[in-house]
Amino acid sequence: MNNKKMTIIRIVIFYILAILPMIIGTTLLSNMLGEPLYSDKAEAPFVATAWGIIGMCSPTIANILTRIITREGMKESYLKLDMKKGKWKYYLLSVVIPLLYMMIAAVLVLLVLCGDAEQLFTREEVPLKIWAYIGQLSAIFYFFLPFFGEEFGWRAYLTPKLEKLLPMPAVHLVSGILWGLWHAPLTVYGHNFGLDYKGYPYLGILMMCLMCTILSPILTFLTKRTGSVIPAAIMHGVNNQASFGIFLSLFASDEALELFSETGNETFLLTFIPMALIAVVCFVLLWRDERKQNA
């Protein structure tokens, strides 16, 4: 069997093993509860949170099982922690980058909604809010495993395999779509966007695919520059744990929050703009690195 065919087989096995638990687990739990798992009812939050943490580890389990099934071994695992030769700065960037695009996105959204960026940081007790946000951010150290659980699958396994088959633009497009579709069972049952938005659930699934495609070059850039999946896991944690919604809810005025809730997913698309600009920079740097390596 040639290498290309084996790579395709490994990708298929990996993705089936990663997505099946999400489909089966989310559906079963929702049926057992008699309601969508991520609805706003009071009975489900603990179960939903627990399943979210467990489900996020499915790409890591898929990575390990695929290596065992296809007798690949653990080469190119991206597990090393190397802080030498200036690589520490990428660990710092893994925190700075998501905070940067979230703050820019908040200002952009407020300018569009209110025509006034001063709607941000207008609440009383701003220092207290900042400490609350730092506390939220620090939670990634307690819940690091699920963020690593995703990245050890997507960045340490799927992306390197796709790179053996496709040109770089297609790698990030395909990996982003596959990653976004992996979220589909959660999206269908109300995660991220709820259940009552226009275009449910297809618009929510499309938005997840778009966001994952944009994030792919950034997370891959951090992984490639360090030879480790850990910076990508840290950035994933910051992106989720101290998200745009949390940032806005802590610091924006009540008027701005009300306008944001009324506009729904249409305004949320604005938050992708600064993220996409950073993704373009990372993509160009990855492309330059690839050209140097090929030369």
Side-chain angles (χ1 to χ4, degrees):
M1 186 181 297
N2 61 46
N3 290 335
K4 184 176 181 180
K5 188 174 181 180
M6 176 54 75
T7 299
I8 294 172
I9 290 172
R10 283 171 173 154
I11 290 172
V12 172
I13 292 172
F14 164 80
Y15 196 68
I16 290 172
L17 291 174
I19 199 170
L20 270 185
M22 302 302 291
I23 296 171
I24 296 170
T26 310
T27 303
L28 283 178
L29 286 171
S30 295
N31 289 336
M32 288 171 60
L33 292 167
E35 63 183 26
L37 185 57
Y38 294 94
S39 69
D40 56 0
K41 295 185 179 180
E43 294 83 356
F46 173 77
V47 177
T49 301
W51 174 242
I53 293 172
I54 295 169
M56 287 174 73
C57 294
S58 65
T60 280
I61 296 170
N63 179 346
I64 295 170
L65 288 179
T66 304
R67 290 175 183 274
I68 293 172
I69 292 169
T70 62
R71 300 180 180 179
E72 182 179 359
M74 291 302 293
K75 59 183 179 180
E76 298 179 353
S77 59
Y78 292 92
L79 286 175
K80 64 181 179 180
L81 179 63
D82 185 2
M83 304 287 282
K84 298 177 182 177
K85 299 179 181 178
K87 291 183 179 180
W88 61 269
K89 65 186 177 186
Y90 297 105
Y91 290 82
L92 178 61
L93 282 174
S94 68
V95 177
V96 172
I97 287 174
L99 292 179
L100 178 63
Y101 63 62
M102 280 187 284
M103 284 188 283
I104 295 173
V107 172
L108 180 62
V109 167
L110 291 175
L111 283 171
V112 171
L113 289 179
C114 311
D116 182 7
E118 291 183 3
Q119 294 285 349
L120 198 63
F121 295 110
T122 57
R123 291 184 173 186
E124 297 178 358
E125 302 177 341
V126 168
L128 185 61
K129 299 292 184 182
I130 291 174
W131 280 112
Y133 191 69
I134 292 173
Q136 181 73 21
L137 182 63
S138 67
I140 66 170
F141 297 105
Y142 301 101
F143 301 108
F144 181 76
L145 181 60
F147 304 122
F148 174 84
E150 279 203 52
E151 292 306 317
F152 188 55
W154 308 126
R155 245 52 62 186
Y157 196 81
L158 178 63
T159 300
K161 292 290 181 289
L162 290 173
E163 287 175 339
K164 296 178 180 180
L165 303 173
L166 302 169
M168 188 181 294
V171 167
H172 297 295
L173 178 61
V174 173
S175 65
I177 291 172
L178 291 177
W179 184 20
L181 290 176
W182 176 84
H183 290 86
L186 303 179
T187 304
V188 168
Y189 287 99
H191 196 263
N192 291 116
F193 308 107
L195 299 162
D196 58 353
Y197 55 90
K198 185 179 179 181
Y200 164 86
Y202 306 106
L203 179 60
I205 294 171
L206 179 62
M207 289 176 68
M208 284 304 301
C209 289
L210 177 60
M211 182 171 69
C212 290
T213 301
I214 293 171
L215 284 173
S216 177
I218 307 175
L219 294 164
T220 302
F221 171 75
L222 294 172
T223 303
K224 292 279 189 181
R225 283 296 177 96
T226 58
S228 172
V229 77
I230 293 174
I234 294 172
M235 180 183 154
H236 194 146
V238 175
N239 183 81
N240 286 27
Q241 200 65 33
S243 65
F244 170 78
I246 294 170
F247 183 87
L248 204 64
S249 66
L250 278 174
F251 298 113
S253 68
D254 293 330
E255 177 189 354
L257 288 175
E258 186 176 350
L259 285 170
F260 180 72
S261 64
E262 289 173 355
T263 55
N265 294 327
E266 293 83 358
T267 305
F268 186 72
L269 285 169
L270 290 171
T271 66
F272 291 168
I273 294 175
M275 186 190 299
L277 292 174
I278 294 174
V280 169
V281 173
C282 291
F283 179 84
V284 170
L285 292 173
L286 284 169
W287 178 70
R288 189 185 68 177
D289 290 348
E290 185 180 75
R291 288 191 65 185
K292 285 182 178 179
Q293 185 177 359
N294 291 337

